[in-house]
Amino acid sequence: MSEPAITPELVQKHNLTPEEYEKLKATLGREPSYTELGIFSVMWSEHCSYKNTRPLLKTFPTKSPRILVGAGEENAGIIDIGDGLAIAFKIESHNHPSAVEPFQGAATGVGGIIRDIFTMGARPICSVNSLRFGPITEDAKRANSTGANELSPIANNRRLFGGVVAGIAHYGNCFGIPTVAGEVYFDKSYEGNPLVNAFCLGVLRHEQIARGQACGIGNPVFYVGPATGRDGLAGAAFASQDLTEESAEKQRGAVQVGDPFMEKLVCEACLELLATGAVAGIQDMGAAGLTCSTCETAARAGTGIEIELDKVPQRAPDMSSYEIMLSESQERMLIIVHKGREEEVKRIFDKWDLPWSEIGVVTDTGHMVVKHHGKIVADIPARKIADESPVYQREAKEPAYLKEVRAFNLSGVPDTQDPMADLKALLGWPTIASKNWVYRQYDHMVRDNTVVCPGSDAAVLRIKEDCLPAVSATQHATHTTPEKLIALSVDGNGAYVYLDPYEGGKIVVAEAARNLACSGAAPLGVTDNLNYANPHNPELFWQLKESVRGLADACRAFNAPVTGGNCSLYNQHPAGPIDPTPTVAMVGMIDKPEHITTQWFKDEGDAIILLGEVVDASDPLFGLGGSAYLQRIHGLKNGTPPRCDLEKEKELHLALRALIYSGVVKSAHDCSEGGLAVTLAESCISQQIARETPRLIGAQIDLTEEAVPPSPPLEERAGERRPVPNLDAAVHGDSPTADRAAALRLDALLFGEAQGRVIISVAAVDAVKVLAQAKILGISATRIGTVGGEGLQIKTPGATLSGDVTELHDLWWNSIARAMR
């Protein structure tokens, strides 16, 4: 088959700039072949090389005494959890494929991240996901704006949402891995460009860590897994360009097709093979397929690798070398075997009925050499293409829209006139509503290690002996493996980051850490997924740069090193860019089973205590900037988001864990989207004691001035700040400051999203002791109510809210199901 001539137009189609093409030629010392052009295109794409983000990623904290495999070293980071055990975890995106083919795009995203984990020698034990879509609730104006044969934006968002969830459920359920946690947001900025971030965690012993290195000159190279096809061609390059209708249609073939049953066989066979000691190196064929796995393993080991494409199993006739090297067909692995141990490899893969082929050898040339039909079709220095891609310091410029954001005040926003109606609207808003429609499609109990299922602040799993990869007959455990308890949370808030990238980045990490603290866990580490738009736009790159600064500062504050992750740029569609959306998955450890804490109230008569300030008096918007309340009730995404004081947050988490460890805390729920009122409602309605049976419990809350002595709100006047004299007067309008945006309002009290707040419940007899202990620990604590009663009642200086918990639960529990009917 003749290859096309290399022209400037062809180079441009491969997303290489003229300068990059010159660098390519300098690397080779000649013009490239067509196959080599394709190889450089995928390896120098943002998805594989991080050429626009690498300088920023170096600012993350990545060191810790617990780190066994650090960020960027291998396919996933590994952290020590004691007693010779370790966990491997990572999060990655499959955004563009899911926009084009939601089911397969999401399914293969799950498959890819699972392979990253067992490639490290770890047995995958759970998965988590973070999802973003356009709105799924009807808007009559928008619904009627499309033509008769056009799918409305709402209908298309539902199609994408349903397809993605089905794809995740299909792959995870068939593979046999529980999906234990996640988050879902809906916002217009994700319309047409959904975000699908998949996380996986696995367990292994220290001595079982495997490396993706082509070690040992003369060692044979094996291909394992199903035959290579034309699906997934140049998927990495597709993920590194703006998503348009035209590009989506052209790149439909870049979406891979997954087979979870095949992946299960590959996983078990690889773990069994690793136990024999016959493996010198192992790498999955993920993004960029055979290209990435060969050059990266050689680059890591400082060796060369030579493969023969005629020996690669192929399921399509007459595949070119370009297609074979760039295919991203799923469930394939590259394994470097110690010479002389080939028969063990063949025996194990035959046992598991898996295709295999010996396709190459490790060399001392330092080059990746590819042969096809007896000819060399690619000869590239492995380290130069894997590690020395172009790196750019992009221009960053503060966006113009932030001037309006900072000038925003509440003077034009009427205070709530019906707070209970607003609370109901927030509970029924799909972003806040229960995500049971999603997680009930997932098997979250398979393998029977899930201690806290989806629906609380963090999931909790136990790690026991049968979670670990098997050892060979010649190996044996020297002692019984003690059970470990791991907590997981994934968080992100694109609206906050859009309105203030630095503070928003801090809040993402702080909320993940707060969720772990509410479960009784201390952080171990973080993996992040950076979902942003086009880095060539200075204003969009500024969002990325500033939010990474916030993420890094917060990770340092909570002693949660970044173990790895993924950058997904070019997330924008013809209508505009997505909100900048860093997603953080944080893993923590709980020392004892009795420390496990969930978010729902437990017993009638228990005292309800707020840890943290009722309002943030230093915030002129009192936590309403960027809030769910402004978005849902007033249709506004504006205002500076609440401030995140990392030192105060850290002290809160330490104090909360201390209270939990003392045995007095019955429930703990962090205060985030929707503010205090939503947090209290969720604490009443979020416990499920059976699949169809909720356990609902009321609460009587008093937020009047007499019950809650406030921190004095601040007023800005002539550049100075001074306290508003009387909170009650400010609420009722009797204060000279009542007409100013800084005056505390009822909506701010109920729905403001000030950071650093947690609602806990304790036995009534322990309440005084807890308040005294909190004071000793240096954190604000206020008893604000009692568990029990006919429903949820909240007394405030301006109004008393009364709601039936059965009605609140129905709105919250069934909102997404009703939208998806």
Side-chain angles (χ1 to χ4, degrees), residues 312-342:
V312 172
Q314 299 162 45
R315 68 169 181 261
D318 301 320
M319 289 187 69
S320 67
S321 57
Y322 179 98
E323 292 171 325
I324 298 170
M325 289 300 294
L326 270 62
S327 169
E328 293 183 9
S329 294
Q330 296 292 285
E331 293 89 35
R332 303 176 302 157
M333 304 291 290
L334 191 79
I335 299 178
I336 293 89
V337 178
H338 289 297
K339 194 170 179 62
R341 310 282 299 268
E342 293 89 343

PDB file of all heavy atoms in Angstrom, residues 312-342:
ATOM      1  N   VAL A 312       1.966  -8.969  14.850  1.00  0.00           N
ATOM      2  CA  VAL A 312       0.898  -8.401  15.692  1.00  0.00           C
ATOM      3  C   VAL A 312      -0.442  -8.966  15.233  1.00  0.00           C
ATOM      4  O   VAL A 312      -0.799  -8.848  14.057  1.00  0.00           O
ATOM      5  CB  VAL A 312       0.886  -6.862  15.588  1.00  0.00           C
ATOM      6  CG1 VAL A 312      -0.336  -6.291  16.309  1.00  0.00           C
ATOM      7  CG2 VAL A 312       2.163  -6.277  16.160  1.00  0.00           C
ATOM      8  N   PRO A 313      -1.216  -9.597  16.112  1.00  0.00           N
ATOM      9  CA  PRO A 313      -2.535 -10.103  15.713  1.00  0.00           C
ATOM     10  C   PRO A 313      -3.414  -8.970  15.182  1.00  0.00           C
ATOM     11  O   PRO A 313      -3.486  -7.901  15.800  1.00  0.00           O
ATOM     12  CB  PRO A 313      -3.099 -10.668  17.024  1.00  0.00           C
ATOM     13  CG  PRO A 313      -1.899 -10.957  17.869  1.00  0.00           C
ATOM     14  CD  PRO A 313      -0.896  -9.901  17.512  1.00  0.00           C
ATOM     15  N   GLN A 314      -4.055  -9.207  14.050  1.00  0.00           N
ATOM     16  CA  GLN A 314      -4.859  -8.168  13.409  1.00  0.00           C
ATOM     17  C   GLN A 314      -6.219  -8.737  13.041  1.00  0.00           C
ATOM     18  O   GLN A 314      -6.314  -9.838  12.515  1.00  0.00           O
ATOM     19  CB  GLN A 314      -4.154  -7.646  12.151  1.00  0.00           C
ATOM     20  CG  GLN A 314      -2.791  -7.015  12.436  1.00  0.00           C
ATOM     21  CD  GLN A 314      -1.931  -6.912  11.179  1.00  0.00           C
ATOM     22  OE1 GLN A 314      -2.417  -6.510  10.125  1.00  0.00           O
ATOM     23  NE2 GLN A 314      -0.659  -7.277  11.307  1.00  0.00           N
ATOM     24  N   ARG A 315      -7.265  -7.959  13.316  1.00  0.00           N
ATOM     25  CA  ARG A 315      -8.601  -8.466  13.014  1.00  0.00           C
ATOM     26  C   ARG A 315      -9.196  -7.828  11.761  1.00  0.00           C
ATOM     27  O   ARG A 315     -10.322  -8.139  11.388  1.00  0.00           O
ATOM     28  CB  ARG A 315      -9.522  -8.267  14.203  1.00  0.00           C
ATOM     29  CG  ARG A 315      -9.887  -6.849  14.544  1.00  0.00           C
ATOM     30  CD  ARG A 315     -11.030  -6.831  15.574  1.00  0.00           C
ATOM     31  NE  ARG A 315     -11.436  -5.488  15.907  1.00  0.00           N
ATOM     32  CZ  ARG A 315     -11.047  -4.828  16.984  1.00  0.00           C
ATOM     33  NH1 ARG A 315     -10.205  -5.404  17.820  1.00  0.00           N
ATOM     34  NH2 ARG A 315     -11.487  -3.604  17.225  1.00  0.00           N
ATOM     35  N   ALA A 316      -8.450  -6.916  11.152  1.00  0.00           N
ATOM     36  CA  ALA A 316      -8.905  -6.303   9.896  1.00  0.00           C
ATOM     37  C   ALA A 316      -7.889  -6.621   8.809  1.00  0.00           C
ATOM     38  O   ALA A 316      -6.681  -6.654   9.075  1.00  0.00           O
ATOM     39  CB  ALA A 316      -9.051  -4.798  10.059  1.00  0.00           C
ATOM     40  N   PRO A 317      -8.328  -6.870   7.607  1.00  0.00           N
ATOM     41  CA  PRO A 317      -7.385  -7.211   6.537  1.00  0.00           C
ATOM     42  C   PRO A 317      -6.602  -5.994   6.054  1.00  0.00           C
ATOM     43  O   PRO A 317      -7.084  -4.866   6.098  1.00  0.00           O
ATOM     44  CB  PRO A 317      -8.311  -7.741   5.428  1.00  0.00           C
ATOM     45  CG  PRO A 317      -9.623  -7.062   5.664  1.00  0.00           C
ATOM     46  CD  PRO A 317      -9.733  -6.899   7.148  1.00  0.00           C
ATOM     47  N   ASP A 318      -5.392  -6.251   5.604  1.00  0.00           N
ATOM     48  CA  ASP A 318      -4.566  -5.240   4.936  1.00  0.00           C
ATOM     49  C   ASP A 318      -4.370  -3.981   5.777  1.00  0.00           C
ATOM     50  O   ASP A 318      -4.398  -2.851   5.257  1.00  0.00           O
ATOM     51  CB  ASP A 318      -5.181  -4.853   3.580  1.00  0.00           C
ATOM     52  CG  ASP A 318      -5.328  -6.053   2.655  1.00  0.00           C
ATOM     53  OD1 ASP A 318      -4.410  -6.890   2.637  1.00  0.00           O
ATOM     54  OD2 ASP A 318      -6.367  -6.145   1.987  1.00  0.00           O
ATOM     55  N   MET A 319      -4.158  -4.134   7.062  1.00  0.00           N
ATOM     56  CA  MET A 319      -3.890  -2.966   7.897  1.00  0.00           C
ATOM     57  C   MET A 319      -2.495  -2.438   7.614  1.00  0.00           C
ATOM     58  O   MET A 319      -1.535  -3.198   7.474  1.00  0.00           O
ATOM     59  CB  MET A 319      -4.022  -3.307   9.392  1.00  0.00           C
ATOM     60  CG  MET A 319      -5.452  -3.548   9.839  1.00  0.00           C
ATOM     61  SD  MET A 319      -5.601  -3.752  11.649  1.00  0.00           S
ATOM     62  CE  MET A 319      -5.238  -2.085  12.207  1.00  0.00           C
ATOM     63  N   SER A 320      -2.391  -1.131   7.502  1.00  0.00           N
ATOM     64  CA  SER A 320      -1.095  -0.504   7.248  1.00  0.00           C
ATOM     65  C   SER A 320      -0.314  -0.390   8.546  1.00  0.00           C
ATOM     66  O   SER A 320      -0.871  -0.500   9.652  1.00  0.00           O
ATOM     67  CB  SER A 320      -1.295   0.893   6.645  1.00  0.00           C
ATOM     68  OG  SER A 320      -1.881   1.766   7.603  1.00  0.00           O
ATOM     69  N   SER A 321       0.974  -0.140   8.433  1.00  0.00           N
ATOM     70  CA  SER A 321       1.794   0.045   9.638  1.00  0.00           C
ATOM     71  C   SER A 321       1.302   1.253  10.432  1.00  0.00           C
ATOM     72  O   SER A 321       1.327   1.251  11.666  1.00  0.00           O
ATOM     73  CB  SER A 321       3.260   0.218   9.247  1.00  0.00           C
ATOM     74  OG  SER A 321       3.418   1.315   8.352  1.00  0.00           O
ATOM     75  N   TYR A 322       0.861   2.284   9.745  1.00  0.00           N
ATOM     76  CA  TYR A 322       0.299   3.479  10.393  1.00  0.00           C
ATOM     77  C   TYR A 322      -0.898   3.087  11.255  1.00  0.00           C
ATOM     78  O   TYR A 322      -1.004   3.487  12.418  1.00  0.00           O
ATOM     79  CB  TYR A 322      -0.113   4.465   9.300  1.00  0.00           C
ATOM     80  CG  TYR A 322      -0.733   5.768   9.767  1.00  0.00           C
ATOM     81  CD1 TYR A 322       0.036   6.918   9.861  1.00  0.00           C
ATOM     82  CD2 TYR A 322      -2.090   5.859  10.086  1.00  0.00           C
ATOM     83  CE1 TYR A 322      -0.533   8.132  10.262  1.00  0.00           C
ATOM     84  CE2 TYR A 322      -2.659   7.054  10.482  1.00  0.00           C
ATOM     85  CZ  TYR A 322      -1.879   8.195  10.565  1.00  0.00           C
ATOM     86  OH  TYR A 322      -2.441   9.386  10.959  1.00  0.00           O
ATOM     87  N   GLU A 323      -1.798   2.284  10.710  1.00  0.00           N
ATOM     88  CA  GLU A 323      -3.002   1.890  11.447  1.00  0.00           C
ATOM     89  C   GLU A 323      -2.665   0.985  12.628  1.00  0.00           C
ATOM     90  O   GLU A 323      -3.226   1.140  13.721  1.00  0.00           O
ATOM     91  CB  GLU A 323      -3.970   1.179  10.501  1.00  0.00           C
ATOM     92  CG  GLU A 323      -4.572   2.091   9.438  1.00  0.00           C
ATOM     93  CD  GLU A 323      -5.359   1.338   8.389  1.00  0.00           C
ATOM     94  OE1 GLU A 323      -4.972   0.197   8.040  1.00  0.00           O
ATOM     95  OE2 GLU A 323      -6.359   1.895   7.904  1.00  0.00           O
ATOM     96  N   ILE A 324      -1.760   0.055  12.443  1.00  0.00           N
ATOM     97  CA  ILE A 324      -1.404  -0.866  13.526  1.00  0.00           C
ATOM     98  C   ILE A 324      -0.761  -0.119  14.682  1.00  0.00           C
ATOM     99  O   ILE A 324      -1.075  -0.340  15.851  1.00  0.00           O
ATOM    100  CB  ILE A 324      -0.461  -1.970  13.011  1.00  0.00           C
ATOM    101  CG1 ILE A 324      -1.157  -2.814  11.937  1.00  0.00           C
ATOM    102  CG2 ILE A 324       0.002  -2.865  14.159  1.00  0.00           C
ATOM    103  CD1 ILE A 324      -0.222  -3.768  11.209  1.00  0.00           C
ATOM    104  N   MET A 325       0.131   0.818  14.366  1.00  0.00           N
ATOM    105  CA  MET A 325       0.845   1.527  15.425  1.00  0.00           C
ATOM    106  C   MET A 325      -0.043   2.513  16.167  1.00  0.00           C
ATOM    107  O   MET A 325       0.150   2.772  17.363  1.00  0.00           O
ATOM    108  CB  MET A 325       2.049   2.270  14.836  1.00  0.00           C
ATOM    109  CG  MET A 325       3.183   1.358  14.387  1.00  0.00           C
ATOM    110  SD  MET A 325       3.868   0.341  15.717  1.00  0.00           S
ATOM    111  CE  MET A 325       4.602   1.580  16.779  1.00  0.00           C
ATOM    112  N   LEU A 326      -1.036   3.092  15.483  1.00  0.00           N
ATOM    113  CA  LEU A 326      -1.861   4.121  16.106  1.00  0.00           C
ATOM    114  C   LEU A 326      -3.203   3.610  16.625  1.00  0.00           C
ATOM    115  O   LEU A 326      -3.927   4.352  17.293  1.00  0.00           O
ATOM    116  CB  LEU A 326      -2.106   5.271  15.131  1.00  0.00           C
ATOM    117  CG  LEU A 326      -1.064   6.405  15.179  1.00  0.00           C
ATOM    118  CD1 LEU A 326       0.320   5.902  14.800  1.00  0.00           C
ATOM    119  CD2 LEU A 326      -1.465   7.545  14.269  1.00  0.00           C
ATOM    120  N   SER A 327      -3.528   2.363  16.322  1.00  0.00           N
ATOM    121  CA  SER A 327      -4.793   1.817  16.802  1.00  0.00           C
ATOM    122  C   SER A 327      -4.837   1.825  18.330  1.00  0.00           C
ATOM    123  O   SER A 327      -3.837   1.553  18.998  1.00  0.00           O
ATOM    124  CB  SER A 327      -4.964   0.380  16.311  1.00  0.00           C
ATOM    125  OG  SER A 327      -6.046  -0.247  16.970  1.00  0.00           O
ATOM    126  N   GLU A 328      -6.011   2.130  18.873  1.00  0.00           N
ATOM    127  CA  GLU A 328      -6.202   2.073  20.321  1.00  0.00           C
ATOM    128  C   GLU A 328      -7.229   1.006  20.681  1.00  0.00           C
ATOM    129  O   GLU A 328      -8.016   1.153  21.618  1.00  0.00           O
ATOM    130  CB  GLU A 328      -6.598   3.444  20.864  1.00  0.00           C
ATOM    131  CG  GLU A 328      -5.482   4.477  20.739  1.00  0.00           C
ATOM    132  CD  GLU A 328      -5.820   5.841  21.336  1.00  0.00           C
ATOM    133  OE1 GLU A 328      -6.872   5.960  22.003  1.00  0.00           O
ATOM    134  OE2 GLU A 328      -5.024   6.771  21.138  1.00  0.00           O
ATOM    135  N   SER A 329      -7.206  -0.099  19.932  1.00  0.00           N
ATOM    136  CA  SER A 329      -8.041  -1.242  20.300  1.00  0.00           C
ATOM    137  C   SER A 329      -7.779  -1.588  21.765  1.00  0.00           C
ATOM    138  O   SER A 329      -6.641  -1.511  22.244  1.00  0.00           O
ATOM    139  CB  SER A 329      -7.728  -2.437  19.410  1.00  0.00           C
ATOM    140  OG  SER A 329      -8.098  -2.171  18.078  1.00  0.00           O
ATOM    141  N   GLN A 330      -8.820  -1.993  22.447  1.00  0.00           N
ATOM    142  CA  GLN A 330      -8.747  -2.130  23.903  1.00  0.00           C
ATOM    143  C   GLN A 330      -8.241  -3.500  24.371  1.00  0.00           C
ATOM    144  O   GLN A 330      -8.086  -4.435  23.582  1.00  0.00           O
ATOM    145  CB  GLN A 330     -10.137  -1.877  24.485  1.00  0.00           C
ATOM    146  CG  GLN A 330     -10.636  -0.461  24.245  1.00  0.00           C
ATOM    147  CD  GLN A 330      -9.854   0.569  25.015  1.00  0.00           C
ATOM    148  OE1 GLN A 330     -10.003   0.730  26.218  1.00  0.00           O
ATOM    149  NE2 GLN A 330      -8.984   1.290  24.320  1.00  0.00           N
ATOM    150  N   GLU A 331      -7.980  -3.539  25.706  1.00  0.00           N
ATOM    151  CA  GLU A 331      -7.639  -4.771  26.425  1.00  0.00           C
ATOM    152  C   GLU A 331      -6.347  -5.418  25.941  1.00  0.00           C
ATOM    153  O   GLU A 331      -6.177  -6.645  26.005  1.00  0.00           O
ATOM    154  CB  GLU A 331      -8.790  -5.801  26.338  1.00  0.00           C
ATOM    155  CG  GLU A 331     -10.033  -5.385  27.078  1.00  0.00           C
ATOM    156  CD  GLU A 331     -11.010  -4.572  26.241  1.00  0.00           C
ATOM    157  OE1 GLU A 331     -11.131  -4.843  25.036  1.00  0.00           O
ATOM    158  OE2 GLU A 331     -11.645  -3.659  26.794  1.00  0.00           O
ATOM    159  N   ARG A 332      -5.387  -4.628  25.482  1.00  0.00           N
ATOM    160  CA  ARG A 332      -4.106  -5.166  25.005  1.00  0.00           C
ATOM    161  C   ARG A 332      -2.973  -4.758  25.943  1.00  0.00           C
ATOM    162  O   ARG A 332      -2.982  -3.674  26.515  1.00  0.00           O
ATOM    163  CB  ARG A 332      -3.810  -4.662  23.588  1.00  0.00           C
ATOM    164  CG  ARG A 332      -4.885  -4.996  22.563  1.00  0.00           C
ATOM    165  CD  ARG A 332      -4.563  -4.388  21.204  1.00  0.00           C
ATOM    166  NE  ARG A 332      -4.418  -2.951  21.274  1.00  0.00           N
ATOM    167  CZ  ARG A 332      -3.726  -2.203  20.404  1.00  0.00           C
ATOM    168  NH1 ARG A 332      -3.099  -2.797  19.391  1.00  0.00           N
ATOM    169  NH2 ARG A 332      -3.648  -0.902  20.536  1.00  0.00           N
ATOM    170  N   MET A 333      -1.993  -5.645  26.075  1.00  0.00           N
ATOM    171  CA  MET A 333      -0.854  -5.398  26.956  1.00  0.00           C
ATOM    172  C   MET A 333       0.446  -5.722  26.224  1.00  0.00           C
ATOM    173  O   MET A 333       0.498  -6.607  25.367  1.00  0.00           O
ATOM    174  CB  MET A 333      -0.933  -6.277  28.211  1.00  0.00           C
ATOM    175  CG  MET A 333      -2.208  -6.141  29.007  1.00  0.00           C
ATOM    176  SD  MET A 333      -2.372  -4.554  29.840  1.00  0.00           S
ATOM    177  CE  MET A 333      -1.105  -4.708  31.085  1.00  0.00           C
ATOM    178  N   LEU A 334       1.499  -5.007  26.584  1.00  0.00           N
ATOM    179  CA  LEU A 334       2.849  -5.284  26.100  1.00  0.00           C
ATOM    180  C   LEU A 334       3.658  -5.792  27.291  1.00  0.00           C
ATOM    181  O   LEU A 334       3.711  -5.120  28.328  1.00  0.00           O
ATOM    182  CB  LEU A 334       3.487  -4.015  25.530  1.00  0.00           C
ATOM    183  CG  LEU A 334       4.789  -4.225  24.743  1.00  0.00           C
ATOM    184  CD1 LEU A 334       4.456  -4.729  23.339  1.00  0.00           C
ATOM    185  CD2 LEU A 334       5.575  -2.927  24.647  1.00  0.00           C
ATOM    186  N   ILE A 335       4.262  -6.949  27.138  1.00  0.00           N
ATOM    187  CA  ILE A 335       4.979  -7.557  28.266  1.00  0.00           C
ATOM    188  C   ILE A 335       6.395  -7.918  27.831  1.00  0.00           C
ATOM    189  O   ILE A 335       6.598  -8.587  26.805  1.00  0.00           O
ATOM    190  CB  ILE A 335       4.238  -8.809  28.773  1.00  0.00           C
ATOM    191  CG1 ILE A 335       2.836  -8.425  29.259  1.00  0.00           C
ATOM    192  CG2 ILE A 335       5.017  -9.489  29.896  1.00  0.00           C
ATOM    193  CD1 ILE A 335       1.993  -9.580  29.738  1.00  0.00           C
ATOM    194  N   ILE A 336       7.371  -7.458  28.604  1.00  0.00           N
ATOM    195  CA  ILE A 336       8.773  -7.812  28.369  1.00  0.00           C
ATOM    196  C   ILE A 336       9.096  -8.961  29.313  1.00  0.00           C
ATOM    197  O   ILE A 336       8.908  -8.853  30.536  1.00  0.00           O
ATOM    198  CB  ILE A 336       9.713  -6.607  28.608  1.00  0.00           C
ATOM    199  CG1 ILE A 336       9.454  -5.523  27.547  1.00  0.00           C
ATOM    200  CG2 ILE A 336      11.167  -7.043  28.530  1.00  0.00           C
ATOM    201  CD1 ILE A 336       8.394  -4.530  27.918  1.00  0.00           C
ATOM    202  N   VAL A 337       9.549 -10.075  28.744  1.00  0.00           N
ATOM    203  CA  VAL A 337       9.720 -11.322  29.490  1.00  0.00           C
ATOM    204  C   VAL A 337      11.208 -11.632  29.638  1.00  0.00           C
ATOM    205  O   VAL A 337      11.999 -11.406  28.712  1.00  0.00           O
ATOM    206  CB  VAL A 337       8.996 -12.477  28.758  1.00  0.00           C
ATOM    207  CG1 VAL A 337       9.202 -13.802  29.471  1.00  0.00           C
ATOM    208  CG2 VAL A 337       7.515 -12.162  28.602  1.00  0.00           C
ATOM    209  N   HIS A 338      11.587 -12.130  30.812  1.00  0.00           N
ATOM    210  CA  HIS A 338      12.973 -12.562  30.990  1.00  0.00           C
ATOM    211  C   HIS A 338      13.268 -13.699  30.022  1.00  0.00           C
ATOM    212  O   HIS A 338      12.500 -14.675  29.934  1.00  0.00           O
ATOM    213  CB  HIS A 338      13.207 -13.040  32.430  1.00  0.00           C
ATOM    214  CG  HIS A 338      13.209 -11.918  33.435  1.00  0.00           C
ATOM    215  ND1 HIS A 338      14.138 -10.908  33.410  1.00  0.00           N
ATOM    216  CD2 HIS A 338      12.379 -11.651  34.483  1.00  0.00           C
ATOM    217  CE1 HIS A 338      13.896 -10.065  34.406  1.00  0.00           C
ATOM    218  NE2 HIS A 338      12.828 -10.492  35.067  1.00  0.00           N
ATOM    219  N   LYS A 339      14.367 -13.571  29.286  1.00  0.00           N
ATOM    220  CA  LYS A 339      14.734 -14.570  28.287  1.00  0.00           C
ATOM    221  C   LYS A 339      14.850 -15.940  28.945  1.00  0.00           C
ATOM    222  O   LYS A 339      15.437 -16.096  30.009  1.00  0.00           O
ATOM    223  CB  LYS A 339      16.054 -14.182  27.637  1.00  0.00           C
ATOM    224  CG  LYS A 339      16.366 -14.958  26.363  1.00  0.00           C
ATOM    225  CD  LYS A 339      17.563 -14.366  25.646  1.00  0.00           C
ATOM    226  CE  LYS A 339      17.904 -15.138  24.391  1.00  0.00           C
ATOM    227  NZ  LYS A 339      16.792 -15.107  23.416  1.00  0.00           N
ATOM    228  N   GLY A 340      14.271 -16.936  28.314  1.00  0.00           N
ATOM    229  CA  GLY A 340      14.268 -18.283  28.859  1.00  0.00           C
ATOM    230  C   GLY A 340      13.003 -18.630  29.608  1.00  0.00           C
ATOM    231  O   GLY A 340      12.790 -19.795  29.967  1.00  0.00           O
ATOM    232  N   ARG A 341      12.156 -17.637  29.859  1.00  0.00           N
ATOM    233  CA  ARG A 341      10.906 -17.875  30.599  1.00  0.00           C
ATOM    234  C   ARG A 341       9.685 -17.810  29.681  1.00  0.00           C
ATOM    235  O   ARG A 341       8.552 -17.710  30.151  1.00  0.00           O
ATOM    236  CB  ARG A 341      10.733 -16.832  31.716  1.00  0.00           C
ATOM    237  CG  ARG A 341      11.925 -16.610  32.641  1.00  0.00           C
ATOM    238  CD  ARG A 341      12.088 -17.681  33.688  1.00  0.00           C
ATOM    239  NE  ARG A 341      10.979 -17.814  34.600  1.00  0.00           N
ATOM    240  CZ  ARG A 341      10.875 -17.182  35.780  1.00  0.00           C
ATOM    241  NH1 ARG A 341      11.828 -16.350  36.157  1.00  0.00           N
ATOM    242  NH2 ARG A 341       9.845 -17.423  36.576  1.00  0.00           N
ATOM    243  N   GLU A 342       9.926 -17.872  28.382  1.00  0.00           N
ATOM    244  CA  GLU A 342       8.835 -17.695  27.415  1.00  0.00           C
ATOM    245  C   GLU A 342       7.728 -18.749  27.583  1.00  0.00           C
ATOM    246  O   GLU A 342       6.539 -18.445  27.433  1.00  0.00           O
ATOM    247  CB  GLU A 342       9.366 -17.752  25.982  1.00  0.00           C
ATOM    248  CG  GLU A 342      10.277 -16.602  25.586  1.00  0.00           C
ATOM    249  CD  GLU A 342      11.752 -16.885  25.897  1.00  0.00           C
ATOM    250  OE1 GLU A 342      12.021 -17.819  26.697  1.00  0.00           O
ATOM    251  OE2 GLU A 342      12.609 -16.178  25.342  1.00  0.00           O
TER     252      GLU A 342
END
